[in-house]
Amino acid sequence: MIYYLWDFVFFSFMGWCIDEVYYLITEKKFANRGFLSSPLCPMYGFASVIIDFCFSNILDQPWFIFFGSMLILGVLKFLVSLFLDKFLHFKMWDYSKLPLNIKGYICIPMVVLWGFVAVILSEFVMPIMDVFVLLIPDWLSYTITLAVIGIALIDFVLTIITIKKLQKQLKAMDDVSKLIEDDNAKTGKSKEELKEEYNRLLTTNNIFRRRLVKAFPDMQSVTYAEHFAKIKFKLDDIKTKNLEEYEMVYDNEDDKPFAFGLNFNKLFWLFVIGCVFGTVMETFWAIFTLGKFEFRVGLVYGPFIPVYGGGAVLITLCLYKLYKANDIIIYIASAIIGAGFEFFCSYFQELVFGTVSWDYSDTPFNIQGRTNLMFALIWGFLGLLWVRYLYPWCSKMIEKIPKKIGNLITIALVVFMVFDVFMTCAGLYRADARVQGHQADNVFEEYLDKHLDDDYLSMIFPHMTNVSTGINVGESEPENPDN
């Protein structure tokens, strides 16, 4: 059961990531293609569970997996599309423009692609994922997966409710439209009053309906196609006007500056800025709390703490569209996102490297010492400050960089950051090997022993502790006095 739960959670998220990358490449901008609020595409998760259940014991027959997955996933997609069409009177996706399609519900090229993906998942991805699942305690697996599935269920219910309310809105618009066109209709209202009522219905929307249209850009109303098209146009118009209050809007593609909108360049620069900002903040925090200067970085070269950079990117992606929301909503959302991300980073570091860089076990309201209530409140404040003031300012400053220079600097920074991460991982693994008494076997290990020695690592990572030994990275394990 744990494996199936992780299948659903992991591949729902990975499906969302794939959709985001595809949309980023084709449309040159970021758009949350998940359900109403969560970064999940449950269709992918559900399909992965079916693949794992049906084919996990026949990994030596890829062609059987290929054709079986084509059949099962094709039928599943067709039935879901048919349900949405016949019972909810909406099409969430439309393949009618692609060859060999069946009523626009599915098409053969997509079904063939699903077959290939199913083989890759069954033969390569799922076995690797199973190894990682074994490393996670059962209680933690159930906590994470059931919480995510609970969010997905809430999103699903909200989606159905939103679609039903949207259907009522479209029916009301259609009724008013027919009264406007019928000169003999006796309603007690003038044509102008009826037009005002129609416009009121047209502009009646809430955050869930806007989110629904955003998540499914190809969504169509089977019964009221014309009225729904007007709603989508109106929502785009409202979005453009709202966006003008937050950042510049350009009609001409050539006029758009470097890293315009939310693309890879913008997100990477935000990551770097967040890393540097985190280093500065941690430095002042050490001076304020410990009364001394202390190096606090996350990588061996440069003033970078990836936890803060990743937090800045994650909060931007999740809360970018909520800039007009209430401060309390942004604060609470930032606190949850920041604390959750901090917990994940701590757990990932311990799982991969066997070390932790912070431990809040002796603080009140902590969760396994990886995060606590106080830092969640701090994350909430930082997120509110970021969404309201810092992100708009940083975004405008980044977009002022000339395109050619910006692209060259981005490439250079990406290469350097990848190198920095690699050297950090290598340095930590080599430090652990030195503690165990392993001598350098090659030139690269000799380089690490010379330039990333224990003194250097203990200086830049003063609080990083090896979980198994309980000693700080860079320090030798004390000798046993009995020996």
Side-chain angles (χ1 to χ4, degrees):
M1 181 57 66
I2 288 179
Y3 289 115
Y4 293 142
L5 291 173
W6 273 113
D7 280 342
F8 180 84
V9 170
F10 179 75
F11 290 107
S12 291
F13 177 70
M14 288 304 300
W16 175 81
C17 292
I18 292 171
D19 274 359
E20 297 310 308
V21 172
Y22 175 78
Y23 193 80
L24 195 62
I25 294 174
T26 56
E27 301 295 331
K28 309 299 182 183
K29 60 182 179 181
F30 173 83
N32 185 357
R33 303 294 298 277
F35 259 17
L36 291 180
S37 56
S38 59
L40 300 170
C41 290
M43 177 66 74
Y44 293 100
F46 192 60
S48 70
V49 172
I50 293 176
I51 293 172
D52 197 2
F53 179 79
C54 295
F55 306 115
S56 59
N57 295 322
I58 51 173
L59 299 181
D60 56 340
Q61 301 183 39
W63 286 109
F64 184 82
I65 297 175
F66 174 74
F67 288 109
S69 299
M70 283 178 54
L71 178 62
I72 294 173
L73 298 182
V75 171
L76 173 65
K77 185 84 169 183
F78 183 86
L79 292 177
V80 171
S81 301
L82 185 65
F83 169 81
L84 294 171
D85 187 347
K86 300 303 180 183
F87 291 93
L88 299 179
H89 308 291
F90 274 96
K91 278 187 174 181
M92 296 304 193
W93 49 79
D94 185 11
Y95 298 126
S96 57
K97 295 182 180 180
L98 297 178
L100 302 175
N101 71 86
I102 303 175
K103 293 186 177 182
Y105 295 159
I106 59 172
C107 66
I108 302 303
M110 290 299 297
V111 173
V112 173
L113 177 61
W114 297 338
F116 280 115
V117 172
V119 173
I120 295 173
L121 293 182
S122 299
E123 296 284 345
F124 304 105
V125 180
M126 287 180 175
I128 295 175
M129 193 181 78
D130 290 346
V131 174
F132 282 98
V133 170
L134 284 173
L135 301 175
I136 304 174
D138 288 354
W139 69 267
L140 184 59
S141 286
Y142 279 118
T143 301
I144 295 175
T145 56
L146 292 178
V148 173
I149 290 173
I151 293 173
L153 286 174
I154 293 172
D155 261 355
F156 177 76
V157 173
L158 288 175
T159 300
I160 300 300
I161 294 173
T162 302
I163 291 175
K164 298 298 290 185
K165 288 187 175 182
L166 182 57
Q167 189 75 12
K168 290 182 179 180
Q169 177 184 352
L170 291 171
K171 185 180 184 306
M173 291 173 62
D174 188 63
D175 292 340
V176 174
S177 178
K178 289 178 180 177
L179 291 176
I180 294 174
E181 295 174 357
D182 188 358
D183 295 331
N184 298 322
K186 297 179 180 180
T187 62
K189 296 181 180 180
S190 65
K191 295 289 185 183
E192 293 300 322
E193 290 175 330
L194 290 173
K195 290 179 180 179
E196 289 181 4
E197 183 176 352
Y198 184 88
N199 288 329
R200 179 183 62 79
L201 290 169
L202 178 63
T203 56
T204 300
N205 63 80
N206 56 30
I207 186 173
F208 293 120
R209 294 181 207 179
R210 293 196 298 270
R211 180 72 205 103
L212 183 68
V213 174
K214 186 69 175 178
F216 300 97
D218 297 327
M219 182 179 177
Q220 300 176 17
S221 173
V222 177
T223 311
Y224 309 109
E226 180 182 351
H227 303 302
F228 185 61
K230 290 181 180 179
I231 288 179
K232 293 177 70 174
F233 179 81
K234 189 67 177 179
L235 289 176
D236 288 339
D237 185 54
I238 293 173
K239 172 190 169 184
T240 301
K241 290 180 179 179
N242 288 341
L243 200 59
E244 289 176 351
E245 302 175 10
Y246 198 59
E247 62 180 22
M248 295 296 294
V249 176
Y250 298 89
D251 295 327
N252 190 348
E253 191 72 26
D254 296 333
D255 295 335
K256 292 181 179 180
F258 167 73
F260 176 74
L262 276 188
N263 51 33
F264 175 80
N265 287 343
K266 174 68 69 61
L267 292 175
F268 181 76
W269 277 79
L270 294 178
F271 172 78
V272 174
I273 292 172
C275 288
V276 176
F277 174 77
T279 302
V280 174
M281 192 169 65
E282 284 286 345
T283 301
F284 281 104
W285 180 263
I287 294 173
F288 176 75
T289 58
L290 302 178
K292 63 178 182 179
F293 174 82
E294 192 174 70
F295 280 104
R296 290 192 178 186
V297 294
L299 300 175
V300 293
Y301 301 126
F304 306 116
I305 301 182
V307 173
Y308 287 93
V313 171
L314 189 60
I315 289 175
T316 301
L317 291 176
C318 294
L319 304 182
Y320 168 68
K321 298 300 182 182
L322 296 181
Y323 56 87
K324 294 177 73 69
N326 185 279
D327 287 349
I328 296 177
I329 295 176
I330 297 176
Y331 182 91
I332 294 175
S334 299
I336 295 173
I337 293 170
F341 184 68
E342 187 176 35
F343 182 95
F344 168 79
C345 290
S346 174
Y347 188 82
F348 179 81
Q349 179 182 345
E350 181 178 344
L351 189 67
V352 176
F353 300 106
T355 62
V356 292
S357 293
W358 59 87
D359 184 7
Y360 307 139
S361 299
D362 57 347
T363 63
F365 304 107
N366 73 84
I367 304 176
Q368 293 188 349
R370 304 184 191 279
T371 189
N372 62 18
L373 179 60
M374 183 186 73
F375 284 102
L377 298 177
I378 293 175
W379 274 108
F381 172 75
L382 292 176
L384 179 61
L385 185 67
W386 178 262
V387 173
R388 282 279 184 260
Y389 305 105
L390 294 180
Y391 169 74
W393 182 80
C394 289
S395 178
K396 291 176 182 178
M397 292 298 103
I398 294 170
E399 291 174 3
K400 288 183 179 181
I401 302 173
K403 288 185 178 180
K404 291 184 178 180
I405 296 177
N407 288 325
L408 290 174
I409 295 176
T410 300
I411 294 172
L413 281 175
V414 169
V415 172
F416 174 77
M417 197 63 70
V418 171
F419 170 75
D420 204 354
V421 170
F422 171 77
M423 292 300 294
T424 301
C425 295
L428 292 176
Y429 277 119
R430 180 60 196 145
D432 185 58
R434 285 196 297 267
V435 171
Q436 298 176 22
H438 298 302
Q439 299 297 319
D441 293 331
N442 51 58
V443 175
F444 181 62
E445 290 185 352
E446 292 175 357
Y447 175 88
L448 294 176
D449 288 346
K450 179 179 180 181
H451 297 279
L452 299 181
D453 58 9
D454 294 339
D455 292 336
Y456 181 76
L457 293 179
S458 62
M459 179 186 68
I460 63 174
F461 303 135
H463 301 285
M464 185 178 291
T465 305
N466 188 298
V467 176
S468 61
T469 62
I471 63 174
N472 287 358
V473 171
E475 296 181 2
S476 300
E477 190 170 0
E479 295 183 2
N480 189 335
D482 295 332
N483 293 334

